[in-house]
Amino acid sequence: MKKKFICKIVIDMIMTVLLLFLMARQLTGDSAHEWLGAAMLILWIAHHILNRSWYSHLFKGKYTPVRIFQTVINFAVLLSMLGLMVSGIILSREVFAFLPIHGGIALARQLHVLSAFWGFVLMALHLGLHWNMILGMVRKAAGPVSSKPLRILLRIAAVLVAGYGFYAFLKNQFLSYMFLTSSFVFFDFERPVLLFFTEYLAIMGLFIFLAHYASRGIQKLTGRR
């Protein structure tokens, strides 16, 4: 593999892990949350620098339904990350406290909640749209799955993860935060830490599953592969 490609994968993996920890602010504490957010910002900038060629190709080539879907998701991720960046800097009491920012706290809190939960879902969808590439890397490293029963078992596992993710999505009230019907994020401190991360990983799995199979469905309907 090329060094640049490996660097992209490593950065994306670290960003995925950071995303999970950033959703657990009540567990990490405000100070750690700010520093993790700053690290995410740096990695996000690095991600865009490494993938800058994507922008230069925006007005080149034909826009198939799958490409339109990918482009919409990519720009939605960009908007959510910009919202997180701006609101995070305004709300910062430690990392960006040196900046002469005054006021706008109430609006920034709402924007931060909105951007965080939309960003989590959109980044999972973004990951799902690149799932074929990830599966290809796994096959290259471990070899293809030649056993039909194992392939069926893996598909059943994917459905179960998506099903649990849907349950966790509703349980954790994502919709109320995504549409700001509630600006206060409830956190159950009696819930085991492992269960928190299991639920959020399952929610991520749900949207990876939806994006992956949606893109495959669109390709089949349009006759493009």
Side-chain angles (χ1 to χ4, degrees):
M1 290 185 188
K2 292 182 180 180
K3 289 183 179 179
K4 184 178 178 181
F5 181 73
I6 294 171
C7 189
K8 285 181 182 181
I9 296 299
V10 170
I11 286 175
D12 288 352
M13 288 174 64
I14 296 172
M15 285 178 70
T16 302
V17 174
L18 280 179
L19 181 63
L20 288 167
F21 279 96
L22 284 167
M23 297 303 287
R25 182 184 63 81
Q26 292 88 341
L27 292 174
T28 62
D30 290 339
S31 179
H33 183 76
E34 281 196 34
W35 286 106
L36 289 172
M40 176 67 95
L41 173 60
I42 293 167
L43 290 172
W44 180 72
I45 292 170
H47 172 86
H48 279 273
I49 292 171
L50 289 170
N51 291 278
R52 61 189 179 278
S53 60
W54 181 81
Y55 292 97
S56 65
H57 289 89
L58 271 175
F59 301 103
K60 297 177 182 178
K62 188 176 181 179
Y63 270 81
T64 63
V66 171
R67 189 182 178 192
I68 292 170
F69 184 31
Q70 290 175 333
T71 304
V72 169
I73 294 298
N74 287 346
F75 273 107
V77 171
L78 176 63
L79 286 174
S80 67
M81 290 303 293
L82 286 172
L84 278 171
M85 178 179 70
V86 172
S87 60
I89 290 172
I90 292 171
L91 292 169
S92 176
R93 295 181 179 177
E94 188 169 330
V95 180
F96 298 102
F98 63 92
L99 294 174
I101 298 173
H102 306 284
I105 299 294
L107 181 60
R109 282 201 183 103
Q110 287 189 318
L111 178 60
H112 206 67
V113 170
L114 185 72
S115 301
F117 284 89
W118 272 105
F120 187 86
V121 168
L122 288 164
M123 286 183 74
L125 289 171
H126 175 76
L127 192 57
L129 290 172
H130 294 84
W131 202 244
N132 274 333
M133 182 187 72
I134 295 168
L135 291 176
M137 291 171 56
V138 172
R139 291 190 192 104
K140 190 174 181 179
V145 179
S146 55
S147 169
K148 188 176 179 180
L150 181 56
R151 286 201 302 269
I152 293 171
L153 188 63
L154 288 171
R155 285 169 185 163
I156 291 171
V159 171
L160 290 175
V161 169
Y164 182 61
F166 181 68
Y167 161 76
F169 178 79
L170 297 177
K171 178 189 172 187
N172 287 276
Q173 304 176 53
F174 262 64
L175 287 176
S176 65
Y177 306 133
M178 290 169 72
F179 293 98
L180 284 183
T181 56
S182 173
S183 56
F184 173 76
V185 179
F186 172 77
F187 190 86
D188 183 4
F189 285 95
E190 294 184 359
R191 173 174 50 179
V193 173
L194 182 59
L195 181 58
F196 171 86
F197 286 109
T198 300
E199 288 181 353
Y200 273 72
L201 276 170
I203 294 168
M204 187 178 285
L206 165 66
F207 288 98
I208 289 172
F209 179 91
L210 291 175
H212 176 62
Y213 283 101
S215 63
R216 286 182 59 177
I218 293 169
Q219 286 174 343
K220 287 180 180 180
L221 286 172
T222 57
R224 298 182 181 275
R225 297 184 178 277

